[in-house]
Amino acid sequence: MNDTPASERLHIGFFGRCNSGKSSLINALTGQSVAVVSDIAGTTTDPVSKAMELPGLGACLLTDTPGFDDTGALGPQRIERTLRAADRTQIAVLLFGEGDCAAELDWLGQFRAREIPVIAVLAQCDRLTDPARAARAVEERTALPPLCVSAATGQGIEELRRALAAVHRDEPREITAGVAEQGDTVLLVMPQDAQAPKGRLILPQVQTIRELLDKECTTICCTPQGMSAALAALARPPKLIVTDSQAFEAVYRQKPAASRLTSFSVLFARYKGDIDAFTDGAAAIGRLTPSSRVLIAEACTHAPRTEDIGRVKLPAMLRKKIGAELRVDVISGADFPDDLTPYDLVIHCGACMFNRRHVLNRIARARAQSVPITNYGVAIAALIGILDRIEY
């Protein structure tokens, strides 16, 4: 379980005011000293995540967040980071106390707007003067019956575990659903450039290979230079060819007529996001002009290389088609503008480092601002004119 990628774990976020007991609750839930606990307000200054395996939930990523009432000099920045943590949260544990809960209600609205399930917790209930009254007040304001929990005494911890398991609905999703069936022969074309460090494969390749093996597919791997030899070694054409998007054009030229074609990035566009939104967004490429502005969003935070697809190759392809004056901005990691309206198109990476919730939130933000959004692989297929001839 420790080797499960963070993007494939269930993301559970703990949200509340400073000193509301978030860190203590995480420690009690896991039975470990995962989060730093202190009576000093603002001890948790940034969202801190810990990979764990919890009974009934499996591989999880528990995120301890700064208090959303932080008023220190860095309070606004800390609250902004808490909001970013909410973007990738799949279940939110929202901590309440006695008295006014206006701030908690504001955050409950944030979670509901993102369609994030919320578990209300009356934390530190061993310290409350009237827990039953406080619980009734929370339920009246939120329509959520809170769990009365104490990290100090252990009260309610098992109930919280059961509540998390009840809320969690593990939707089985497949990377190759609908394009590769049990026993198919699949050819994977994988360039080994500077973005594939020596001795390793990139995550989308690893995950796709594993899924194909689970389907008992005959899986053949090659580089673009070795594609002809790989095809010649087969008695009949492969049912499916999956390529790195940057090799789309060369692979398409060599593809047997009987073989279907897609890319790792396109597969992840379906697996991690909304393929219809991405294909609709690709239509905006045809409307770009030299005065347009495009945002390229990478999930990875790796140091740029000369062969980088997002920072070098894709901008070059866009400028070749649209014009050298086209403005292309590149962001990475958790950075994503609140205001997308200056852009005529957003092009997102395959998001192998993000969970689906995170990608769908970005798509929703773009849609809300009427800004088209697409994906690396979909955009490249559109740029070379084969989008209607690939599998997605």
Side-chain angles (χ1 to χ4, degrees), residues 361-380:
N361 277 326
R362 289 189 168 187
I363 293 172
R365 193 181 304 178
R367 276 179 164 164
Q369 298 178 51
S370 299
V371 178
I373 184 168
T374 190
N375 152 281
Y376 280 17
V378 176
I380 290 173

Side-chain angles (χ1 to χ4, degrees), residues 147-392:
L147 298 174
C148 290
V149 175
S150 168
T153 67
Q155 177 186 347
I157 297 300
E158 189 55 41
E159 288 80 359
L160 177 56
R161 288 196 187 100
R162 289 199 293 267
L164 288 166
V167 169
H168 177 46
R169 294 293 181 266
D170 188 11
E171 301 177 12
R173 298 182 61 80
E174 289 186 0
I175 299 168
T176 59
V179 295
E181 306 298 334
Q182 194 88 1
D184 282 350
T185 298
V186 181
L187 179 65
L188 304 179
V189 184
M190 306 184 299
Q192 297 303 294
D193 55 18
Q195 302 312 310
K198 186 175 179 60
R200 287 182 286 160
L201 298 175
I202 61 175
L203 186 57
Q205 296 169 353
V206 173
Q207 290 182 281
T208 303
I209 290 170
R210 174 55 195 264
E211 184 176 294
L212 292 171
L213 292 176
D214 287 343
K215 289 184 174 185
E216 298 183 357
C217 292
T218 300
T219 307
I220 300 114
C221 303
C222 68
T223 62
Q225 295 80 9
M227 182 177 171
S228 295
L231 290 170
L234 295 173
R236 55 182 179 273
K239 180 77 171 291
L240 175 69
I241 299 174
V242 185
T243 180
D244 191 285
S245 297
Q246 62 185 302
F248 244 149
E249 193 165 16
V251 172
Y252 180 75
R253 288 198 300 266
Q254 299 181 67
K255 180 188 79 71
S259 300
R260 295 184 293 173
L261 175 65
T262 190
S263 79
F264 293 102
S265 183
V266 171
L267 291 178
F268 272 71
R270 297 187 319 158
Y271 181 59
K272 291 295 181 74
D274 182 336
I275 189 62
D276 292 331
F278 286 146
T279 53
D280 290 346
I285 293 174
R287 301 191 293 270
L288 296 177
T289 68
S291 60
S292 296
R293 188 176 178 187
V294 174
L295 176 67
I296 293 181
E298 289 192 339
C300 297
T301 56
H302 60 267
R305 304 289 186 93
T306 57
E307 301 174 16
D308 192 89
I309 186 170
R311 295 174 174 88
V312 179
K313 294 182 179 180
L314 192 48
M317 292 179 71
L318 287 164
R319 291 186 175 112
K320 181 178 179 181
K321 182 176 181 65
I322 309 302
E325 300 85 0
L326 179 71
R327 180 171 175 182
V328 180
D329 298 335
V330 181
I331 57 171
S332 62
D335 293 338
F336 198 71
D338 290 327
D339 183 9
L340 296 170
T341 56
Y343 296 100
D344 301 285
L345 176 64
V346 176
I347 305 179
H348 207 287
C349 71
C352 61
M353 303 302 293
F354 285 175
N355 64 6
R356 190 164 187 257
R357 171 72 64 183
H358 202 163
V359 179
L360 290 177
N361 277 326
R362 289 189 168 187
I363 293 172
R365 193 181 304 178
R367 276 179 164 164
Q369 298 178 51
S370 299
V371 178
I373 184 168
T374 190
N375 152 281
Y376 280 17
V378 176
I380 290 173
L383 282 164
I384 63 177
I386 64 169
L387 183 55
D388 60 343
R389 283 166 269 176
I390 65 169
E391 297 295 326
Y392 57 80

Side-chain angles (χ1 to χ4, degrees), residues 126-162:
D126 56 305
R127 301 183 184 180
L128 304 183
T129 54
D130 191 343
R133 180 179 179 181
R136 287 194 299 272
V138 170
E139 186 169 5
E140 288 172 3
R141 299 292 301 275
T142 66
L144 294 173
L147 298 174
C148 290
V149 175
S150 168
T153 67
Q155 177 186 347
I157 297 300
E158 189 55 41
E159 288 80 359
L160 177 56
R161 288 196 187 100
R162 289 199 293 267

